[in-house]
Structures are given as C-alpha cells and as structure tokens.
C-alpha cells in the first residue's frame, strides 16, 4: 500500500483525484524528509 492509499484509507483524503474536475492526478514528487519541511509561524 502506497502512502497516498493510506491517506485515503485512514483520513479519507484522496490526493489522486482532482477536487474540481474529478480527474486523476499523478503525484510527481513529495517531500518526506522532516528537515526539508519548514513550519510557518
């Protein structure tokens, strides 16, 4: 099970379907290293 499928299963978040048009979205990149994610204050 890939992480996108886990998001849908656990949180009911579907990142593979466009909310506006309903078409399929292809994930081309993701940031998974915590150092690369900046918290906005």
């Amino acid at each position: 099970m890939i992480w996108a499928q886990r998001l849908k299963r656990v949180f009911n978040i579907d990142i593979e379907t466009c909310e506006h048009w309903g078409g399929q979205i292809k994930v081309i990149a993701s940031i998974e290293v915590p150092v690369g994610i900046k918290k906005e204050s």
Side-chain angles (χ1 to χ4, degrees), residues 25-37:
I25 296 174
K26 181 178 180 181
V27 177
I28 58 171
S30 67
I31 301 171
E32 298 179 5
V33 180
V35 175
I37 302 170

Side-chain angles (χ1 to χ4, degrees), residues 7 11 13-14 29 35-36:
L7 282 174
F11 299 108
I13 299 172
D14 186 5
V35 175

